[in-house]
Amino acid sequence: CHLFISLFLAQVRVGQALYKAASLFNHSCLPNIHAYFMSRTLLLRTTEFVSGGCALELSYGPQVGQWDCKDRLRFLEEEYFFRCWCCGCSEVNESDLVISGFCCVNPNCSGVVLDNLVANCEKQKPKVPETISNKSHLQVHELKDIDIKKVAQISLDQTQSSFHVDSGYCLKCGSYCNFASRSKEVKKAWTDFRRLQDSIASKDTCSTNLPDALRSLGLLRSILHAYNKGIAEAEDILAKAFCFIGDFEPARDHCKASIEILEKLYGPNHIAIGYELAKLASIQLALGDCTAVYNINRLSAIFSTYYGPHAGIIFPYLLVLERERSRIIQ
């Protein structure tokens, strides 16, 4: 399944230039426009409906779903010398709570447990200056994917908000979690995934490492929150490993499991989901699974939103998948 393997993409900075008009756009970790290049021409497209009078904002790099808030803030301060007050960094959002969170020790609770650094960052969000946020209190948005009240207990009234964040304690039921010992277990589990990645990189038969990685995935799922991005990364590694040994059914299942988590972090129509759907569709095609048509339709729509008529030029594998879709439909 060579297509799946080739989709592990990396961005490389090849040059710098100043585009005077584009430089006027402010940054947001929840951008509503996307920038890309065709040769030396910089193009900008909106990625969602934007009402008249609303600001058009692009991302200078980090986005909600990619990194947690503290890492985004540090990157922007180090690289661009400003403190971000976008809605993603000034309001509590579900992605920042769960992206690196641990699950509650109470098996019947869906709450999240944060470490000290993440908890301190989240505590600062309700303190965003009113002159910047134009809000008198913390606003919890109507959520598209995760109902935030499933992972944290937030109480709001008409005059003020209270969001109680204590590191090591479940944000929903208050149960205590021994974060230090559980963190050690997570680090140990990731050793098996690093070995598996090394086997894939060296093109060795990685089936000998798969049982260990599968056991470690079970451990991660018992410690990390269900929407923790680390679980998505582990599922993705397993999907790639099963592809290498030609076992496409478990590859498909692990790829699906990874996407389900990433959709919670990014939202279902983010470009990051488009990349993952391309992997999944390629595996489904290798299996002769006709449901690949649905996922190819989804990723085509996502890539068209972000790249318009240039999507097939920038990503030739998109045209390959669309040809396969046409063949199945016929």
Side-chain angles (χ1 to χ4, degrees), residues 62-167:
Q63 296 186 31
V64 171
Q66 180 183 14
W67 297 342
D68 64 26
C69 187
K70 65 177 175 58
D71 291 337
R72 298 196 308 270
L73 293 176
R74 181 174 64 247
F75 173 86
L76 292 167
E77 287 175 348
E78 291 176 354
E79 293 291 321
Y80 296 99
F81 310 104
F82 72 89
R83 202 289 186 191
C84 183
W85 295 111
C86 76
C87 60
C89 295
S90 62
E91 299 174 0
V92 175
N93 67 76
E94 69 281 5
S95 182
D96 284 342
L97 291 180
V98 300
I99 190 171
S100 59
F102 282 34
C103 66
C104 180
V105 294
N106 179 356
N108 297 319
C109 179
S110 58
V112 64
V113 182
L114 307 181
D115 71 13
N116 187 56
L117 294 176
V118 175
N120 286 338
C121 182
E122 293 302 313
K123 286 179 183 179
Q124 300 303 312
K125 286 186 175 181
K127 299 177 183 179
V128 56
E130 292 184 19
T131 54
I132 297 176
S133 68
N134 293 320
K135 291 180 176 62
S136 59
H137 59 79
L138 175 67
Q139 179 179 345
V140 179
H141 288 295
E142 181 181 353
L143 301 171
K144 297 178 181 178
D145 296 304
I146 304 173
D147 182 351
I148 199 169
K149 292 182 181 178
K150 291 181 180 178
V151 300
Q153 181 62 46
I154 296 179
S155 59
L156 298 172
D157 59 41
Q158 294 181 348
T159 59
Q160 63 181 2
S161 66
S162 59
F163 181 31
H164 302 288
V165 184
D166 293 311
S167 62

